[in-house]
Amino acid sequence: MIRPAEIRPATAGPPDPAPAAERRPGPEPAPRGGTLARQRRRLFIPFVGPALLLYSVLFIAPIGAAVWISLHNWAGSGPMTWAGLRNYTRLFHDDLFTQSLRNTLELLFVVGAAVFAISFALTLILRDMAGRKAVRAVIFFPHLVNALVYGVLVGFLFNPDGLANSLLAHLGIHSPPQWLAQDNLFPLIMVTMTWMTTGYFTTILMAGVDRIPVSYYEDCALAGAGPLQRLRYVILPLTWDVFGVCAVLWTISSVKIFEIVWIFGGSSGNGIPPTKTWTSAVYTYATAFSGDSVPSYGAATASAILSLLLVTVLVVLLRRLMRREAVEF
Amino acid sequence: MGTQSAGRRRNVPIALGAAGALVCVVTACSGTGPGSSKEFTYWSMWKQGEPQQKVIAAAVADFQKQTGVKVKVQWQGRNNLQKLVPALNTNSVPDLVDGPYVKLVPALVATRQSLGLTAAFDTAVDGTTAGKLVPAKYLKTIDIKDAAGKPWMLPYSLTSDAVWYDAAAHPELRTDPPRTWDDFIALLNRLKQAGQTPLAADGDVTGYNAAYLSTLIVRNLGPGGLKKIASDRTGNAWLDPAVLDAAKKVEQLVRGGYLIDGYKASKWPAQQQKWANGKAALMFMGSWLPTESATYAEKGLTYASFPFPTTGAGHDSMRADFVGFAVPKKAHHAADAQRFAAFLLNKKYQDELGQEAKVIPVRADAATSPEMAGVKKSLDSADSFHQQNDGVAFPGYNEKLFWAKDDELFFGKISADTFVHDMQAAQAAYWKDQPQ
């Protein structure tokens, strides 16, 4: 007698996890686990294949190509000469690269901490506020504005004859700080980044907090828990995974920060920003595409690969750090 | 999980095979093939609406009418050459590009991707050849020959620089401009005593800041002097007294308080706007200043200029940056592209470039605008020429090393002495890390 388990095609991979002894002959459907597993296997390629294919062509292959280029000296076209790991060792000698990397990490950690502190505070304040939807839209707005606008705006506000100094002059301050001096430019970029991204993360965190059923808060009220206890025992554990996702999103985006630096200095993008404000992404771009000197694609891709490694390590660490038992509710 | 990982394992070869197939399809598609020979593609450095674009667009229309060759123009703007470099690795390259000499060199010449333009130079234009319309005196110091001795660039206009002033406010400078550095400093002192701001500068554009020192070094050592210093692998060339003297002159400008307040902390074009509105008397800037500042200049501003002062070392070269056409080696329609490059040297378009776009046409006999009269006169009477950055284009040298260090000098953070010593050390480290 033929049982359903035996008409499985020979190529179907590992045996079903469901023991054959449990199967009964006859027209009844087979136990769910077995069929489901087989269905899943069958659908695996059609579902995952296209995405995997696109991902390989658009991401994995270019990364492989980038690694290859980073091992050469190359002006972007024309002859390529083998350089081995020299492009990498050169980066570590290069004070400008280390400084650019430091700037990137400053954006990641300092701006990140500020953004999360402010977003979380705003989330808690907005939770009980009237008209919070309108407020949320207002807070989100800076994220929608193109970074170029900030580049123009910063000149309008902080040029020697700008709005800030005119206001200060009214207050009797006639020797205001040199806002746009090269040394002040990076802190200004950090403030602008905070301003730009806070609304975005507030919105995500608020969505996480809004998910928490009201009954938990009522429970807190009945138990006589104060706001801090409510935060510690209800809000934080139940939004922890949202925090984790936000932290990963911020890490990835902060390592790529580029356009805001590019337009803050150097004639709004027509020139090259002062090296003091460079991030590793700007370093990469300027090395390959400055247009003012022979491009060195090898050094640029080496810097890009290092940035990629940095993101990977940071994301893995962060995931480990944020790992908690998921609380289901 | 077991089923998933098994699926993944099986999927890898399939995915790789399919990826390969897709890559083949993509690359096959990007090859344009010979196609119709009666057309060519041109990636322009000008954007729609710019005065230069209008002149070139008119020339394109006439060229199409006269020759029947279709010109597929993309008005890309100043990033056209940055976009060109990666495109050179594919099969679909533009047949014609244009740009300033300093940007064409790294994009096309350093990568050995430029085509010799003998055909363009030999094309008949107005009874002579295009090549003969490019004044030979420029070619003495501006090297546009490739390794095979063929020109890789056909220039159609020039940019230069000058110290600009408003002739309506300072008519005396028309008759008696300062010629030497001492005259120049005396003028700055006079202006300062009269309660005027002598010099405007947008310090956030590092290339502009470096123009002072680059020009002073070229004044002290002659055209090619800065390039020679920058090429020194030991960096010791920076310790040359003539270089220190140039740096000290920059220091003198900074310490003398001649530069406009806030030049260290403003955003371009804030200070240029102030100059154009009479809030500073002078500005050392490229020959594009009149067109660039025309929209916000005060009424009645009469653009006039005098050349950067000499330093007594006997060098009085003028800056002459060629702007012109180049053809990539891989171009499919190089012949028609070269015909068009030569076509723009017709007197009609050269006059239009001078009078409507207000640039300096490359033809010596072309008309220029009144704003450019001073620069044109200086160029016509000069017999030696230098280029922006003195032609220095070593990878990353300008933007990562020279300009960054020069900013410290130009902002008064370090002295000239410290500057040359810092440059010596930084340059030695730079060359140590460069491939041989």
Side-chain angles (χ1 to χ4, degrees), chain A residues 148 151-152 258-274 285-286 289-292, chain B residues 45 47 50 76-80 82 100 102-103 202 204-208 267-270 272 285 288 292 296 388 399 403:
Chain A
L148 194 60
V152 176
F258 170 80
E259 74 276 21
I260 187 95
V261 180
W262 197 257
I263 51 157
F264 250 67
S267 67
S268 299
N270 290 326
I272 288 189
Y285 182 85
F289 303 108
S290 86
D292 285 306
Chain B
M45 70 177 281
K47 278 189 220 150
E50 288 185 294
Q76 292 200 349
R78 307 299 183 275
N79 287 333
N80 64 333
Q82 274 109 308
V102 281
K103 297 212 173 198
D202 275 300
D204 63 324
V205 185
T206 53
Y208 290 176
K267 213 161 161 42
W268 177 90
Q272 193 168 301
M285 187 46 62
W288 55 81
E292 201 171 73
Y296 46 70
Q388 189 184 358
E399 59 276 28
W403 294 351

Side-chain angles (χ1 to χ4, degrees), chain A residues 96 272-275 278 285-296, chain B residues 206 389 392-405 407:
Chain A
L96 185 55
I272 288 189
T275 50
W278 286 18
Y285 182 85
T287 306
F289 303 108
S290 86
D292 285 306
S293 58
V294 177
S296 34
Chain B
T206 53
N389 313 332
V392 173
F394 306 119
Y397 183 88
N398 291 326
E399 59 276 28
K400 289 183 185 166
L401 176 70
F402 179 41
W403 294 351
K405 236 338 133 208
D407 273 358

Side-chain angles (χ1 to χ4, degrees), chain B residues 263-280:
Chain B
Y263 78 98
K264 302 172 196 175
S266 64
K267 213 161 161 42
W268 177 90
Q271 309 296 3
Q272 193 168 301
Q273 283 175 345
K274 282 195 186 169
W275 173 83
N277 286 284
K279 293 193 179 124

Side-chain angles (χ1 to χ4, degrees), chain A residues 130-253:
Chain A
R132 63 208 200 89
K133 284 218 169 108
V135 176
R136 186 161 64 181
V138 171
I139 297 175
F140 190 72
F141 184 71
H143 189 72
L144 295 177
V145 176
N146 191 311
L148 194 60
V149 175
Y150 292 106
V152 176
L153 198 65
V154 79
F156 175 72
L157 287 175
F158 294 118
N159 261 328
D161 291 339
L163 194 63
N165 286 0
S166 318
L167 289 178
L168 287 174
H170 281 297
L171 298 174
I173 300 169
H174 292 289
S175 50
Q178 298 202 315
W179 304 106
L180 297 176
Q182 286 192 358
D183 293 331
N184 297 338
L185 220 46
F186 196 68
L188 207 57
I189 289 172
M190 290 170 75
V191 171
T192 311
M193 272 316 291
T194 313
W195 163 258
M196 272 174 79
T197 30
T198 300
Y200 177 71
F201 287 107
T202 308
T203 310
I204 301 182
L205 288 181
M206 275 180 81
V209 170
D210 284 352
R211 247 180 4 162
I212 302 170
V214 192
S215 57
Y216 286 94
Y217 294 118
E218 289 166 356
D219 219 28
C220 284
L222 286 175
L228 275 182
Q229 282 164 315
R230 196 172 63 182
L231 177 68
R232 186 173 164 200
Y233 294 109
V234 176
I235 299 181
L236 269 183
L238 295 184
T239 49
W240 192 252
D241 52 342
V242 181
F243 264 98
V245 170
C246 286
V248 169
L249 283 179
W250 169 248
T251 306
I252 294 172
S253 62

Side-chain angles (χ1 to χ4, degrees), chain B residues 167-183:
Chain B
H170 297 282
E172 75 283 2
L173 291 176
R174 247 201 185 150
T175 46
D176 186 23
R179 290 174 212 282
T180 66
W181 184 257
D182 293 340
D183 291 350

Side-chain angles (χ1 to χ4, degrees), chain A residues 2-327:
Chain A
I2 297 169
R3 291 190 299 190
E6 289 169 2
I7 42 172
R8 214 174 42 199
T11 52
D16 269 340
E22 280 177 25
R23 311 221 162 162
R24 277 175 288 136
E28 304 98 320
R32 282 184 78 204
T35 319
L36 187 65
R38 220 175 313 139
Q39 294 289 350
R40 279 177 70 179
R41 251 193 338 264
R42 225 171 263 153
L43 286 175
F44 187 78
I45 293 174
F47 271 88
V48 177
L52 188 67
L53 179 71
L54 278 181
Y55 195 80
S56 308
V57 171
L58 299 177
F59 292 94
I60 310 283
I63 290 172
V67 171
W68 177 247
I69 292 171
S70 75
L71 301 174
H72 292 80
N73 290 318
W74 191 41
S77 65
M80 232 179 179
T81 53
W82 179 255
L85 291 175
R86 273 194 63 176
N87 282 326
Y88 291 90
T89 51
R90 206 178 293 157
L91 282 180
F92 290 110
H93 291 172
D94 188 351
D95 292 341
L96 185 55
F97 179 74
T98 17
Q99 183 196 298
S100 308
L101 201 60
R102 201 164 48 234
N103 282 347
T104 299
L105 293 177
E106 254 179 58
L107 283 173
L108 170 59
F109 291 110
V110 179
V111 176
V115 165
F116 277 83
I118 301 172
S119 302
F120 195 60
L122 280 174
T123 306
L124 296 183
I125 294 167
L126 289 177
R127 209 186 70 79
D128 303 316
M129 208 171 120
R132 63 208 200 89
K133 284 218 169 108
V135 176
R136 186 161 64 181
V138 171
I139 297 175
F140 190 72
F141 184 71
H143 189 72
L144 295 177
V145 176
N146 191 311
L148 194 60
V149 175
Y150 292 106
V152 176
L153 198 65
V154 79
F156 175 72
L157 287 175
F158 294 118
N159 261 328
D161 291 339
L163 194 63
N165 286 0
S166 318
L167 289 178
L168 287 174
H170 281 297
L171 298 174
I173 300 169
H174 292 289
S175 50
Q178 298 202 315
W179 304 106
L180 297 176
Q182 286 192 358
D183 293 331
N184 297 338
L185 220 46
F186 196 68
L188 207 57
I189 289 172
M190 290 170 75
V191 171
T192 311
M193 272 316 291
T194 313
W195 163 258
M196 272 174 79
T197 30
T198 300
Y200 177 71
F201 287 107
T202 308
T203 310
I204 301 182
L205 288 181
M206 275 180 81
V209 170
D210 284 352
R211 247 180 4 162
I212 302 170
V214 192
S215 57
Y216 286 94
Y217 294 118
E218 289 166 356
D219 219 28
C220 284
L222 286 175
L228 275 182
Q229 282 164 315
R230 196 172 63 182
L231 177 68
R232 186 173 164 200
Y233 294 109
V234 176
I235 299 181
L236 269 183
L238 295 184
T239 49
W240 192 252
D241 52 342
V242 181
F243 264 98
V245 170
C246 286
V248 169
L249 283 179
W250 169 248
T251 306
I252 294 172
S253 62
S254 68
V255 177
K256 291 193 297 190
I257 289 172
F258 170 80
E259 74 276 21
I260 187 95
V261 180
W262 197 257
I263 51 157
F264 250 67
S267 67
S268 299
N270 290 326
I272 288 189
T275 50
K276 277 185 187 147
T277 64
W278 286 18
T279 58
S280 53
V282 174
Y283 181 97
T284 303
Y285 182 85
T287 306
F289 303 108
S290 86
D292 285 306
S293 58
V294 177
S296 34
Y297 275 49
T301 42
S303 141
I305 295 289
L306 281 185
S307 302
L308 181 70
L309 287 179
L310 178 75
V311 184
T312 315
V313 169
L314 285 172
V315 169
V316 169
L317 284 179
L318 207 63
R319 300 285 296 175
R320 287 197 165 243
L321 202 71
M322 302 289 289
R323 190 182 289 164
R324 296 279 191 286
E325 277 297 309
V327 183

